[in-house]
Each structure stands twice: as C-alpha cells, then as structure tokens.
C-alpha cells in the first residue's frame, strides 16, 4: 500500500520548511492550479516520500545534495489525469498491461469497475483485480461491482453478487465505492437487494456509482436519484447532463472507443453556463487499439477542449472534480501540498503532448515511453479455464424453425457510435421450415451461446447494421455484461466453426470467412483479457477490425458494438441466454410478432 499522509507528514513539513531536502524538485514551470483555475508562471514543485511538499515561486530551500532537479523550462505542470469511470477489461488487458499502456498518456489515477470479471469469476475475481490494482505504480482504485447479474431474471451469469458480498468488499483496502448501479429498474421499484447494496456502501462512507440508461427524465429518473447513485455516465444529451447535476449528481461525460457523448453534453457548461464543478470526464470503455494509437484521458481532455471548453476547466474535469467526487481531494487531483505527487509536464495545454509523467514522486514515462516497473502479480490457472460449453456446436444449433412461408421477426438494430440499439422488425422468408437470413437487407443471424454452466443453451435471433456481405461469422466471449458467447454471422457453418474455435483456445474473439479463420484475439483470462502487452493485443484487435471490413462492415469500432449486443440494461432490444429482451419494458419478448 502507498503510505498515507499521516505516515509521512513530518517529512513533508520538514521539506517545506527547508529543514530537510526534497527527493525531487521540478523547477521553473507554469503551475496549473486546478483549485483557483490559475496559470502561475515561474513556480517550483518539491516532492518528498511520493507526495507534494512545497508548491511556490522558489523551492531552492528544499534542494539538497541528494535532490533530483528537473528543469521544467516554462512548461505547464498539470496534475496527473484521472479516469473517473472505466472498465479495464474493455481494453482486453490485465490491470498491469492496461496501466503500462495509459501511463505514457498521463493517466495516473483510475477508478475501475471490474464487473466484467465479476460476471464470470464472482467475488474471487473481483479480489484478484483489487490485488493486482494495488501492485501498480499508479493509483488504481476499485469500485465493487453492483450488478451481477445486471438484470436479474433476464440473464444468468457465471456468478452472482448481492448485499452480503458488497458489505464484505467495502472492508477491503482499495475499494472506494460501488460500481455503476445498472439495475435502475430495480432501484426505481424498491428492490431490497439493490437498495441493500447501496446502503452497505453508504454505511461505509463510500461513493455509489450510477447508470441510468433511459431518456425518461420524469418520476422514474427522480426515483433513481433518490435511491442514492451519485453520478451517471449514460447521458447522451445536454438535457441529460442538466437533469443530473440539478439533482446533485455528477454528470460523467464519456469519450471511449465507441461512445462519443462529450460534445452533446458539454454545452451545458459552454453555452448554458452551468457550474463546471459538477461535470467529470471519463472513458468508460477503451479498447487496446485506442490506447496505443490515440491515447487515454489526454485524448478525452483534448476532445473536450475542441468542443469549446476552456483548457483549464477541461483539466479540472479530469483531475480535481474527480477527486472531489470520490471524497479524495485531500489525496489526489491537484498539485498542492500533501497530495500524491502525480504530475505531467507538457508544452501546450490545448494539444496536451505528454512529455514527462511523474507518479507518486517518480518519473514513470518520458515522451511517450514508459519507464519499466516490475509488478508482482500473476493470474491463477483457474481464471484461464472459463469456457464451459457443454459440447462443440454444429450448424443445426443455429436453425430457427417456423411454419408458413414468411414471418415477421424482431431484429436488433446496431447504432453506430452509440450504446443503445434499435428494436426493428423485418419480414423474413421461411424455407424448408427454417427462417432465412436476409443478407440483401443487412439482416444476419445472432446467437448467444451459454458458456458458464455447460447447459448447452443457444439463443438465436437476428441483427442488422453490420453490413456483412459474404459467408462469415464472428464469435466473442466478451459479451457484456453476462459474458456468454455472442456469435454473429451470415453462415451457420461458419458460426459453428467460430464458436468451437473459442471453446478450444479458452476464450477471445475470432472471425471465419468462407470456412477459414482470418482473425483471432486470444483472451485466456476469464475469456475477457490477455496478459500480453497492449501493443500486441492492439495489433490482433486491428487485425480483427480489418477482417470485419473485408466482410463488408464499415462501422466505426464495430467490435465494441458486437460486444454489447447482450447488454440487457441499455435499450432497446438485446439478446441473452433467457431469450430476446425488450429493454424499454424489461421483459422477455418473442422473436416472432404473431
């Protein structure tokens, strides 16, 4: 564990007073003060025992023979960036490899919700993520997952969590709150289990994460807020952001690999003039390719600036606002005495090149290159044996029988760059007693294959929006949130090949075209993550996206859309091991409209 302030307070006081030398002094920079929104030129920062000791115009009295002096040369000294809401598993990386990928981009603090691992491995899996987070050279705080399953009765997961597990986790040293409360209908309807989880979190004095994925801002929204969630990242419009902050929530505006929700909401500040202290930036989900090619929180801050925010306000939304929200402003989020010494040196606040990254008082990256750090954590073997299918599948497992010559079917409609789907309908022909796909109208088949308890279950339905124009199939064991296996394809034989291939390798994503495997991303840990470096996983992921394009798919970050097709807490229509789910009414519906 990183030492608490009280463990080193005497050292900090001695350095600030000039009685003892600092470990490091960053000299002659422009101090970006996120408390006052000032740019203070010609200032020095002194660091001792991993924390800031002195921040002022002249730290010469803090310099001794052993002090490392870094010349800022007028560059901006910015607090290390914080990601307020994210899922490590979305990067398909372990905590260690994710941290190594984002540190060079200036991220020094992450608030992670490992509910993907929780759905597969339960409380022991959360503990593994928690322990690996503690081993990192930067701050990785963990929120206890709240919803496994996310929609009880509408899906079955590999493990279940409830109030007892939440209460137990609240005593762990690195748990800072409750992860996003996705079961918003449960909260609204007074579910004792959901309110019990929130109560256990509140009793521990920790923060409750929100997830209100509905456009209804009437009594249902107000009931959800009354239930205790303190933030929400599911807003997609200015009205959403305003409604949340007016009710005392923080509006978390996300820019992930596939979610572009900052521009539509930031006008609440830039045009409506609302107090920016209630607004926070986050990523939610970033895949490895985004991290390697585009960045992490630095990318989000740049985007927010491009959307009209003052650069210092954008930085506040990625630093002190986040720290304050989690009740940690005395420990992180600013360059001020006593806080963890997390800092970036950059020559420009708008383009935000990350030239030096300091975390806990040590240089951890220079000019985009990480300084190697040894991390002592290994995932156990049982976490690599999670594809529990009953048997290999064959093409007939994907047959959809029906009588007559045609049927009207419900179809899941993919929406580019958005988490919600559309509930579509289509008239499909029936041949030899089997419903046919309609490739000409961009309707292919989707199947959810049960992979936790070896039930042998396969749920079949239809999906539109990927644009596939050849015989192909893509399978993935990343299938938010229950993480069974999703197979989408235009060829039943390819669908069987893809599903069986993932069973053989222990999880991941693969794509078959005309009976041949043309792309594979192996994810052996829980079927969700790889312990390979981010660049390696990113290269495989890029190969997957390239393969999708060769099959006719032109969607931006189409893999992310694929992985969310079973997310039964975001409207409108989803698939689960229970069947087809109407998420506007939270009930199972028939595939065919009679």
């Amino acid at each position: 564990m990183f030492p608490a302030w009280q463990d080193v307070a005497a050292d900090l006081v001695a350095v600030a007073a000039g009685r003892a030398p600092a470990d490091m002094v960053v000299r002659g920079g422009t101090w970006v003060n996120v408390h006052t929104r000032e740019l203070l030129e010609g200032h020095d920062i002194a660091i001792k025992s991993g924390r800031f000791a002195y921040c002022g115009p002249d730290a010469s009295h803090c310099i001794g023979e052993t002090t490392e002096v870094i010349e800022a040369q007028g560059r901006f000294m910015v607090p290390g960036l914080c990601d307020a809401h994210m899922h490590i598993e979305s990067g398909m990386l372990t905590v260690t490899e994710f941290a190594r990928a984002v540190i060079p981009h200036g991220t020094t603090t992450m608030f992670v919700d490992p509910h993907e691992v929780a759905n597969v491995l339960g409380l022991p899996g959360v503990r593994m993520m928690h322990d690996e987070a503690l081993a990192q050279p930067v701050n990785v705080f963990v929120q206890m997952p709240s919803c496994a399953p996310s929609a009880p009765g509408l899906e079955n997961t590999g493990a279940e969590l409830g109030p007892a597990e939440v209460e137990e986790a609240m005593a762990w040293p690195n748990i800072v709150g409750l992860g996003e409360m996705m079961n918003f209908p449960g909260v609204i309807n007074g579910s004792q289990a959901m309110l019990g989880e929130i109560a256990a979190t509140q009793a521990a004095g920790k923060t409750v994460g929100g997830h209100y994925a509905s456009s209804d801002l009437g009594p249902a929204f107000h009931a959800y807020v009354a239930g205790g969630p303190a933030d929400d990242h599911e807003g997609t419009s200015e009205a959403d952001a305003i409604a949340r902050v007016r009710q005392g929530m923080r509006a978390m505006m996300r820019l992930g690999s596939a979610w572009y929700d900052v521009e539509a909401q930031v006008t609440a500040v830039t045009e409506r003039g609302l107090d920016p202290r209630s607004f926070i930036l986050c990523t939610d989900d970033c895949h490895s390719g985004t991290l390697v090619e585009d960045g992490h929180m630095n990318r989000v801050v740049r985007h927010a600036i491009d959307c009209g925010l003052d650069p210092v306000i954008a930085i506040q939304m990625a630093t002190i606002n986040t720290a304050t929200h989690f009740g940690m402003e005395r420990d992180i989020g600013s360059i001020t005495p006593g806080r963890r010494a997390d800092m970036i040196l950059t020559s420009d606040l708008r383009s935000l090149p990350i030239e030096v990254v300091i975390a806990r008082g040590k240089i951890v990256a220079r000019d985009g290159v990480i300084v190697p750090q040894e991390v002592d954590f290994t995932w156990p073997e049982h976490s690599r044996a999670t594809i529990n299918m009953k048997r290999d599948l064959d093409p007939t497992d994907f047959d959809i029988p029906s009588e007559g010559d045609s049927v009207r079917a419900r179809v899941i409609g993919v929406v580019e760059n958005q988490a919600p789907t559309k509930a579509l309908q289509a008239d499909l022909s029936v041949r030899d007693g089997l419903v046919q796909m309609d490739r000409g109208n961009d309707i292919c088949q989707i199947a959810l294959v049960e992979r936790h308890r070896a039930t042998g279950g396969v749920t079949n339905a239809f999906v539109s929006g990927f644009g596939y124009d050849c015989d192909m199939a893509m399978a993935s064991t990343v299938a938010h949130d229950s993480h069974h296996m999703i197979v989408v394809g235009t060829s039943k034989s390819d669908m069987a090949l893809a599903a069986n291939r993932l069973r053989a390798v222990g999880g991941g994503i693969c794509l078959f075209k005309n009976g041949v495997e043309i792309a594979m991303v192996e994810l052996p840990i829980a079927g969700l993550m790889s312990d390979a470096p981010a660049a390696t996983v990113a290269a495989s992921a890029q190969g997957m996206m390239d393969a999708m394009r060769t099959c006719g798919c032109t969607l931006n970050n189409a893999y992310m859309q694929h992985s969310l097709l079973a997310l039964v807490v975001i409207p409108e229509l989803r698939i689960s091991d229970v069947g087809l789910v109407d998420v506007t009414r939270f009930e199972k519906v028939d595939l065919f409209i009679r």
Side-chain angles (χ1 to χ4, degrees), residues 2 22-26 45-52 68 70 108 137-139 339-343 357-364 373:
F2 183 71
D23 297 329
M24 177 186 291
V25 168
V26 182
I45 307 296
I47 297 168
K48 180 68 176 179
S49 301
R51 291 180 180 271
F52 297 117
E68 179 182 4
I70 298 172
T108 58
V138 293
N139 313 311
R339 278 70 173 180
R340 300 186 185 199
D342 303 329
M343 183 168 67
V357 182
I358 296 169
R360 300 178 181 177
K362 297 181 179 179
I363 295 176
V364 291
Q373 303 273 341

Side-chain angles (χ1 to χ4, degrees), residues 168-180:
E168 177 182 340
M170 287 301 140
W172 298 352
N174 200 35
I175 293 289
V176 297
L178 189 67
E180 56 180 304

Side-chain angles (χ1 to χ4, degrees), residues 159 181 390 433 478 518 555:
M181 178 50 71
K390 186 174 184 177
V478 180
I518 62 171
L555 290 178

Side-chain angles (χ1 to χ4, degrees), residues 527-569:
L528 303 173
M529 300 180 291
S530 169
D531 49 9
T536 301
V537 177
S540 297
Q542 184 61 52
M544 181 63 60
M545 289 186 283
D546 292 343
M548 294 175 78
R549 279 190 284 272
T550 68
C551 295
C553 181
T554 60
L555 290 178
N556 178 51
N557 287 308
Y559 159 69
M560 296 292 285
Q561 306 286 4
H562 181 110
S563 70
L564 294 180
L565 291 170
L567 187 52
V568 292
V569 291

Side-chain angles (χ1 to χ4, degrees), residues 268-525:
V269 175
T270 59
E271 296 179 13
R272 297 290 295 275
L274 271 63
D275 191 332
R277 289 178 298 177
S278 292
F279 295 81
I280 292 172
L281 296 172
C282 71
T283 64
D284 197 359
D285 298 295
C286 276
H287 66 63
S288 53
T290 300
L291 303 180
V292 171
E293 299 296 331
D294 299 326
H296 189 233
M297 284 304 298
N298 57 331
R299 168 178 176 258
V300 185
V301 172
R302 284 196 302 262
H303 175 70
I305 294 168
D306 289 343
C307 291
L309 271 184
D310 175 272
V312 180
I313 293 177
I315 289 167
Q316 287 177 311
M317 290 182 181
T319 56
I320 191 62
N321 291 11
T322 304
T324 301
H325 177 58
F326 287 98
M328 302 178 74
E329 67 274 15
R330 295 293 302 170
D331 202 43
I332 61 171
S334 67
I335 301 173
T336 42
R339 278 70 173 180
R340 300 186 185 199
D342 303 329
M343 183 168 67
I344 298 163
L345 294 183
T346 180
S347 54
D348 183 68
L349 284 188
R350 286 191 170 273
S351 60
L352 207 63
I354 308 299
E355 293 153 1
V356 178
V357 182
I358 296 169
R360 300 178 181 177
K362 297 181 179 179
I363 295 176
V364 291
R366 287 184 183 271
D367 297 320
V369 179
I370 193 167
V371 175
Q373 303 273 341
E374 289 298 322
V375 174
D376 184 19
F377 187 89
T378 302
W379 283 81
E381 284 305 312
H382 69 80
S383 68
R384 301 170 185 265
T386 64
I387 311 304
N388 297 316
M389 291 166 56
K390 186 174 184 177
R391 57 176 174 80
D392 274 355
L393 303 180
D394 62 55
T396 61
D397 285 299
F398 304 102
D399 286 346
I400 301 177
S402 183
E403 299 177 350
D405 297 325
S406 66
V407 294
R408 171 155 289 191
R410 290 183 169 87
V411 178
I412 301 171
V414 173
V415 182
E416 187 168 22
N417 289 331
Q418 292 289 320
T421 62
K422 292 294 186 183
L424 306 178
Q425 297 179 13
D427 292 319
L428 301 175
S429 62
V430 177
R431 188 182 312 134
D432 299 326
L434 299 176
V435 183
Q436 304 297 301
M437 297 176 249
D438 187 354
R439 189 187 300 174
N441 287 308
D442 190 21
I443 297 173
C444 58
Q445 211 163 306
I446 179 173
L448 188 137
V449 179
E450 199 281 334
R451 67 108 162 171
H452 295 311
R453 295 182 173 85
T455 66
V458 178
T459 303
N460 287 298
F462 297 98
V463 64
S464 176
F466 286 108
Y468 295 130
D469 59 8
C470 61
D471 285 349
M472 57 74 62
M474 178 172 164
S476 172
T477 54
V478 180
H480 303 272
D481 277 327
S482 55
H483 296 291
H484 290 289
M485 183 190 298
I486 290 177
V487 189
V488 171
T490 61
S491 158
K492 295 177 186 177
S493 59
D494 283 331
M495 292 174 76
L497 288 170
N500 296 336
R501 178 72 167 129
L502 291 188
R503 184 188 185 204
V505 301
I509 316 157
C510 67
L511 194 150
F512 277 73
K513 179 180 180 181
N514 296 322
V516 177
E517 179 184 304
I518 62 171
M520 164 68 79
V521 183
E522 293 193 34
L523 303 173
I525 299 173

